[in-house]
Amino acid sequence: MPKGKGPQGKRITLKVAKNAVRVAFNGRRRLDLSKMGIATFPKCILELADVEELDLSRNMLRKIPNIIEKFQNLMWLDLHSNQLDELPAAIGTLKNLTYLNLCNNKLTTKGLPEELTLLRNLRTLNLGLNCLETIPTTLGTLKELIELGLFDNSLTLIPKSVKRLPKLERLNVKRNPLPEFAKEDEPIDTVKRIESLYLVEKKDLCISCLEMCQGERDELHKLEDMTPGPSDKPSFSSLTTPNSTAMDNQEEWRIK
């Protein structure tokens, strides 16, 4: 391999790319080039730039060129599990994008272009398993975001603008050195946790709810009063301990 050059990877021809086009369950046309050993963005796929979904995940891509802007119909882009350390500014031209998966790459905070905030229709953004130390506060402009993955990075702060995104339902920040996760939660006693479900005054319950709670409590008392009966499992007292004979004869078998 020439000095200074990375792995060449598999060369994708237009014929191979055309054969990789599938119709997804939602009726969109998906170009699926995942797990193909691709190290360089194949320019031949520009001939198929009218697809709505593009899957280049689980390859060896180090760079996404600005020609990605040719894919103006893209609504779904999966680039997870590559070797990307930055995104091109042209990513911001994909205005129809609703799903962007960048998980498991080498992205740094510097590698996130400001143009990422132009993806105003984005609903799912996965930046987990990267090398991010901070998150741009401008991500708070992605008002349509429903799911945001930031797990397994080096984040010490989540901007308030991101936490307060109006439609955000799932924010995964696990395994980051965030101050709120610095102290381990005290173990919760299981019985106490269950009992806390019933910490409500009878007068605050409607008749049907009260009857239901009393019925469940009576069932619980019945279970507590029950004593285990004799075991139905057969007893084979004459049998030796499992593998005991084999253990005694191990040396003999080794000799043979």
Side-chain angles (χ1 to χ4, degrees):
M1 183 182 298
K3 186 177 180 180
K5 289 189 176 182
Q8 297 301 305
K10 182 178 179 180
R11 182 174 178 269
I12 300 298
T13 64
L14 181 57
K15 180 179 180 181
V16 170
K18 285 182 176 179
N19 290 334
V21 176
R22 302 285 185 271
V23 178
F25 70 92
N26 51 19
R28 301 175 191 163
R29 291 192 307 142
R30 176 182 297 181
L31 175 53
D32 188 351
L33 296 176
S34 62
K35 298 181 289 185
M36 299 285 282
I38 304 171
T40 305
F41 189 89
K43 293 183 179 180
C44 68
I45 67 174
L46 292 177
E47 298 289 331
L48 304 170
D50 59 341
V51 295
E52 292 86 14
E53 301 188 355
L54 177 59
D55 190 347
L56 287 167
S57 65
R58 288 171 283 188
N59 282 296
M60 300 181 292
L61 292 170
R62 295 180 179 273
K63 183 179 180 180
I64 300 297
N66 276 313
I67 55 176
I68 191 71
E69 65 185 1
K70 300 295 183 182
F71 291 80
Q72 284 299 303
N73 290 339
L74 275 189
M75 302 178 70
W76 191 93
L77 178 58
D78 195 342
L79 297 170
H80 87 265
S81 301
N82 278 284
Q83 299 179 35
L84 304 173
D85 57 10
E86 64 177 358
L87 295 176
I91 196 78
T93 66
L94 306 179
K95 300 296 178 64
N96 292 316
L97 214 58
T98 61
Y99 175 95
L100 179 57
N101 191 350
L102 297 164
C103 176
N104 194 23
N105 277 283
K106 298 180 179 180
L107 291 171
T108 61
T109 304
K110 186 178 179 181
L112 297 180
E114 185 178 347
E115 289 78 5
L116 191 64
T117 61
L118 298 177
L119 303 178
R120 298 301 172 86
N121 289 312
L122 207 57
R123 297 179 181 178
T124 299
L125 176 60
N126 193 344
L127 291 168
L129 279 167
N130 276 286
C131 306
L132 303 174
E133 295 183 349
T134 59
I135 290 296
T137 57
T138 50
L139 283 188
T141 61
L142 301 178
K143 303 298 184 182
E144 296 299 315
L145 266 188
I146 296 175
E147 183 172 6
L148 177 58
L150 298 173
F151 55 91
D152 292 287
N153 278 286
S154 301
L155 303 175
T156 56
L157 177 68
I158 305 298
K160 290 182 179 179
S161 60
V162 173
K163 289 181 178 180
R164 295 173 180 172
L165 283 167
K167 296 186 179 180
L168 194 64
E169 296 178 2
R170 292 180 292 276
L171 175 61
N172 190 342
V173 295
K174 293 181 179 179
R175 293 177 295 280
N176 278 284
L178 293 164
E180 53 260 50
F181 298 117
K183 295 182 180 180
E184 294 185 2
D185 295 333
E186 293 184 3
I188 302 175
D189 182 88
T190 307
V191 176
K192 289 182 179 179
R193 179 166 54 86
I194 293 174
E195 287 178 349
S196 66
L197 296 175
Y198 296 92
L199 292 179
V200 59
E201 301 236 353
K202 289 184 179 181
K203 63 182 179 63
D204 295 326
L205 291 174
C206 63
I207 296 176
S208 58
C209 292
L210 181 59
E211 290 177 349
M212 181 182 68
C213 290
Q214 288 175 336
E216 291 182 357
R217 185 178 60 183
D218 292 341
E219 289 295 324
L220 182 61
H221 289 163
K222 288 180 182 179
L223 290 175
E224 291 175 346
D225 294 337
M226 291 176 63
T227 55
S231 175
D232 295 331
K233 294 182 179 180
S235 175
F236 302 99
S237 56
S238 60
L239 290 182
T240 58
T241 304
N243 296 327
S244 59
T245 305
M247 291 175 63
D248 293 339
N249 295 324
Q250 278 182 5
E251 293 300 326
E252 181 181 347
W253 281 106
R254 288 196 186 99
I255 295 175
K256 290 182 179 181

